[in-house]
Amino acid sequence: MEPEQDLTQTQKLNPMTEHTEKLVYGKDRLLQRDLRLLRWLHRRLIRERCGEGLWAHLVHLKELTGQWREGNCESGTDVEKLLAGLETSELVTLTRAIGTRFNLSNIAEDRHRVRILGQREDRGTEKETIQHAVAELRANMPKEDFLALIRTFKIEPVFTAHPTEAKRRTIRRILARMRDDLYGLDKTHLLKSERRALLDKMRAGLLTLWSTETVSPRKPTVMEELDRAIYSVRTLWRAAPIIVERLRASCVSDEERSALSRPLQFGNWIGGDRDGNPFVTCETTHATLERLRSEAIHLHRSTCASLKENLTVATDSTDWPESLIMAIEQARIRWPALEEHVAPLHPNEWLVQWLTIMDRRLKHSQTLPHQGMHPMAYPDADALRVDIDRIIDALNHAGFAELATGELLNWRHRVDIFGLHLLRLDIRSNSKTIRSAVDQILRETDQAGSFMDMNEAERCTALHNADSLLARSIPAERLGSNEADILDTLTLLQRAGRSGDMAALGWFIISMTQSASDVLAAVWLMKVAAHRAGFEEPVDIPVSPLFETIDDLKACPGILSALLESDLFSSYVKPGGYEIVSMLGYSDSAKDGGYLASNWALYTAQRNLAEETAKHDAHLTLFHGRGGAIGRGGGPAGRAIRSLPRESLNGRLRLTEQGEVISARYDDESIAIRHLQQIMWATLIQGVPHEDRMPAETEALAGRMAESSMQAYRALIETPGFDEILTECTVLSLIEQLQIGSRPSRRKKNSSLDDLRAIPFTFAWTQLRMPINAFYGLGSAYRDLDEADQQRVADLYDTWPWFRAVIDNAELALAQCNIDIALRYLQRAEDQEKAKPFLEKLEDEFSASLQAVLAIKRQKRLVEKIPWLHRIIDSRSVYLDILNMIQLELLNRRSAASTTNPTDELAEALRRNVQAIASGLRTTG
């Protein structure tokens, strides 16, 4: 194998280190081996397909960029000159070469993570496990409290289709195959021919990867986005039962195991999230429910077929429980059509007969219940579970207990996790649409006054008095399109729920909730929908407010209190006690108030909501709307959960999985298992009694820092011309045109910053290596403190999990920054006088935030306490710099060609470049 030559040399990462160091992997020997192999394959491909000249350009660019990062400004100029002298097609090829290198590095790093996890499990040194959490709970809680916690314990990741996954599903599949081939090289006692065959497959895979278009030709449809999520769910079909069984195995008594209900489920917004997405309609939602059920049935039938091949136990009928034999005979009598499928089977293979019957019943269960069910169909997942239990009981009865485990037990867990619906579908609509729908309905029923013009008290009164209007039919054609759609959708949900398909339905989320009347309006609309469907009372589909801005997070406890005291709300929720689901938005709060202010508002909101529900003897489940990037609530999931107020969890957690996070966490089975285990561990361990409330003066200090941070952040984004500079100098307009998500990037067709969604805002700043909503304002907040308070803040890092998570995540964001690159983007502004304040503020705040994090963590450089992470970031950064310089050159060419009509070649080159940078950063938005 050829040596890697000078491409293994790492460079200074401003401001990661103050000196150049060799990339030394130490204990990461196998990772180094994989990287060297993949880079050798990569180098061979580039030389063969693009020629020695392009490879020489790449090597020279790396040398120059490395020198520039070490402080040689002339080298930066040389990089600009070299790129300016290349054809656009050559810049595209360089971009593709570096993007391919990042993709290869990603699969090697993922493989090494799986390898390390396996080694720890074999040695019994694995940390943050479900077993450890359960043992800790059992040892530190009264038995009754422990049982109560695991009785209500539930984790529910929710897949969303936000446009941050810049990688096509086709590319994901190619990389998955190459990752599997890389796994194969770890097998012991490989023959030379076997190793050679694996290397040949990897060469072929790399060639396919190189030759496959990375840019989608069009925006995906909503159903195509759903298929992207289902691609990952197929991994979870294997992984999720393993996690549930680990949890059950950790419960040492029958009492503990019986206390567990359904601890793991998965939700979905794709096809239900109509907030600002005109392509999500009632018809789309209906098609989504059909597609999810179809996939669930397909996966159940695949499992059933596999078990038929393995449970071919043939014995006399007297060896099996009479209930099984009777069930088979009764099914054949009840459904004569079964005879042609069962009669040809071996008469003594009773389990094969029963599984054949189950398979036929599953085949006829494709149709949604509210559309009319086939007589042979399973009415719900409970009925399927009963039939699986019949097999388990029969095997135990007949002396084949060893066969009642493994895939059969996993199938039972899958029924609990995925049911017949696969993913529970949430519906999300904006509060403005809800209010408008109520306003139009009230107008149609001859009510005086406009609901939209009423104050809060008047709206609540109007809704309490409007039940008498429910029986009056309102034709949908007399409503606006958005209002008619939400009413049609709620009517669909009422019919689905009434027909017994409640398991497929999640929450009705009201985004931008600003008052109790927003939620009450949704509750009243649910009642209207029930009457439209022909029902006197609505099915209890829970309504959840979503609090997103800083002001709304501050107001949410009062809004919740008003809801809990409302007769209209209490008449809707199911009897036996309130179960409140409240969603918190991480993206818009960070875009609104900056990183530290957002985190503090979220923290205090969670605690205040928990206290408010406790006053009313209600049960709270918080739904965390986290994104992939740190500025949108990203970062290590376990650490994030450990930083939450203890009283806000109580063993229940719902959180979004968005964009590139879905593929990163769920495409590989081992990584999916580890991720699920970490969030289960963190949620359980937070149940261990402990005091996490800080003294009043400490919280006051955090509040002051949050306020100071917000002032600095708002001063930046409210500087005149911020919107124009953002559009002119970054790739924001390009991101808005990327064919990676069905939903528009703006809620309305205007160019205001308020209207711009947090996702493209974050994506744009991440691309230029300066994610402002992941750190900006932290430096000012620290600098405004006196010396004594600065010392207190440093001490808080050691004692307060919330503050530690805030600083650690900011450190990760800063570690991927490059201020020199960011300033070059801003220097593209045509009006440099207008851009000057942004240049100065950005440079000052970056420096202040960097120094603040280093002082608080008592470090000399970023991530110095995580050597492996430092090495990974350091090894990538020089190539990210090259991609950014290519992007700058392409932007300049586009500006020179035409500010309004750039050439197709330049537009395509920029799209490829954005995707390559996204692959290198791995968290884009």
Side-chain angles (χ1 to χ4, degrees), residues 11-25:
Q11 304 294 342
K12 175 185 174 186
L13 173 59
N14 145 347
M16 286 277 289
T17 181
E18 295 179 356
H19 59 278
T20 303
E21 61 180 7
K22 294 285 185 178
L23 183 60
V24 180
Y25 283 88

Side-chain angles (χ1 to χ4, degrees), residues 142-333:
K143 179 180 178 181
E144 296 75 16
D145 293 346
F146 172 61
L147 290 174
L149 178 66
I150 62 173
R151 190 173 291 117
T152 60
F153 179 69
K154 181 182 289 186
I155 301 296
E156 187 171 9
V158 180
F159 292 171
T160 71
H162 290 300
T164 59
E165 172 57 275
K167 194 185 287 108
R168 292 180 63 200
R169 188 163 45 134
T170 303
I171 300 296
R172 287 167 63 184
R173 286 172 173 160
I174 297 169
L175 291 172
R177 292 195 295 269
M178 293 190 68
R179 184 177 60 231
D180 290 343
D181 295 336
L182 193 62
Y183 283 15
L185 292 175
D186 271 354
K187 293 180 180 178
T188 56
H189 308 301
L190 267 181
L191 299 175
K192 287 185 178 180
S193 58
E194 293 173 325
R195 179 178 176 80
R196 190 177 303 113
L198 280 172
L199 289 173
D200 288 343
K201 281 183 66 180
M202 292 182 72
R203 288 192 191 99
L206 181 56
L207 179 57
T208 303
L209 178 67
W210 177 262
S211 305
T212 300
E213 284 291 345
T214 60
V215 178
S216 298
R218 56 174 175 79
K219 278 184 174 290
T221 66
V222 176
M223 301 310 293
E224 287 170 338
E225 288 178 322
L226 182 64
D227 282 340
R228 287 180 182 177
I230 289 174
Y231 178 82
S232 293
V233 173
R234 290 170 187 153
T235 302
L236 288 170
W237 189 259
R238 301 187 301 271
I242 295 172
I243 286 297
V244 172
E245 184 55 30
R246 287 186 185 181
L247 179 58
R248 288 184 58 80
S250 300
C251 297
V252 297
S253 67
D254 290 340
E255 185 179 20
E256 291 178 0
R257 284 189 287 272
S258 63
L260 282 173
S261 178
R262 297 179 183 178
L264 180 63
Q265 290 186 303
F266 294 91
N268 169 53
W269 277 20
I270 307 166
D273 180 11
R274 60 227 326 110
D275 181 16
N277 191 340
F279 305 108
V280 178
T281 63
C282 182
E283 291 74 18
T284 309
T285 297
H286 191 269
T288 298
L289 290 169
E290 289 182 321
R291 177 72 181 90
L292 290 172
R293 187 177 182 92
S294 174
E295 183 66 22
I297 297 299
H298 168 73
L299 291 169
H300 281 305
R301 292 191 70 195
S302 297
T303 302
C304 188
S306 175
L307 287 168
K308 280 173 62 178
E309 293 179 356
N310 290 283
L311 294 179
T312 52
V313 180
T315 65
D316 190 82
S317 62
T318 57
D319 292 332
W320 299 102
E322 185 178 350
S323 60
L324 175 66
I325 308 302
M326 288 283 292
I328 293 173
E329 294 305 319
Q330 289 172 359
R332 295 173 73 170
I333 294 170

Side-chain angles (χ1 to χ4, degrees), residues 359-585:
D359 177 68
R360 301 316 297 174
R361 295 193 68 186
L362 283 166
K363 182 179 185 297
H364 291 296
S365 301
Q366 294 272 3
T367 305
L368 292 172
H370 71 274
Q371 293 178 307
M373 297 184 67
H374 190 280
M376 204 185 297
Y378 281 108
D380 51 38
D382 290 339
L384 176 59
R385 188 186 306 105
V386 167
D387 281 359
I388 296 173
D389 285 342
R390 198 183 297 277
I391 300 174
I392 294 173
D393 293 342
L395 286 168
N396 288 325
H397 179 276
F400 296 101
E402 299 95 326
L403 301 180
T405 58
E407 186 66 1
L408 184 59
L409 188 58
N410 284 343
W411 193 15
R412 193 189 191 286
H413 290 324
R414 286 172 187 137
V415 174
D416 287 339
I417 298 165
F418 301 104
L420 300 178
H421 59 276
L422 199 68
L423 305 171
R424 295 205 295 175
L425 181 63
D426 286 356
I427 304 299
R428 183 170 77 141
S429 185
N430 194 282
S431 59
K432 290 182 180 179
T433 303
I434 301 296
R435 290 193 293 269
S436 180
V438 171
D439 180 76
Q440 292 183 25
I441 292 172
L442 292 181
R443 287 175 183 271
E444 288 293 332
T445 52
D446 301 323
Q447 294 299 295
S450 167
F451 184 78
M452 301 291 281
D453 294 337
M454 295 178 186
N455 61 34
E456 176 66 5
E458 291 170 338
R459 286 179 181 175
C460 291
T461 300
L463 290 166
H464 278 87
N465 295 334
D467 276 7
S468 61
L469 308 174
L470 293 174
R472 300 191 49 182
S473 176
I474 307 298
E477 59 268 18
R478 284 159 63 180
L479 304 177
S481 58
N482 290 336
E483 292 77 8
D485 174 73
I486 194 61
L487 193 56
D488 287 343
T489 301
L490 295 181
T491 305
L492 167 67
L493 299 186
Q494 288 295 317
R495 288 178 177 142
R498 185 71 62 174
S499 66
D501 203 20
M502 279 297 294
L505 308 180
W507 276 261
F508 181 26
I509 312 291
I510 304 110
S511 60
M512 289 296 174
T513 297
Q514 298 175 331
S515 64
S517 65
D518 289 339
V519 182
L520 296 178
V523 168
W524 190 75
L525 278 184
M526 201 74 77
K527 291 188 173 187
V528 173
H531 278 263
R532 287 183 82 217
F535 311 130
E536 286 294 323
E537 294 295 330
V539 174
D540 178 26
I541 297 169
V543 176
S544 172
L546 167 52
F547 303 107
E548 299 180 77
T549 67
I550 298 291
D551 287 342
D552 292 341
L553 287 168
K554 291 178 180 178
C556 66
I559 294 173
L560 184 60
S561 178
L563 282 176
L564 293 171
E565 293 170 359
S566 163
D567 293 337
L568 176 60
F569 188 75
S570 61
S571 68
Y572 177 76
V573 297
K574 59 186 177 184
Y578 291 101
E579 182 175 8
I580 305 299
V581 177
S582 182
M583 186 172 181
L584 304 172

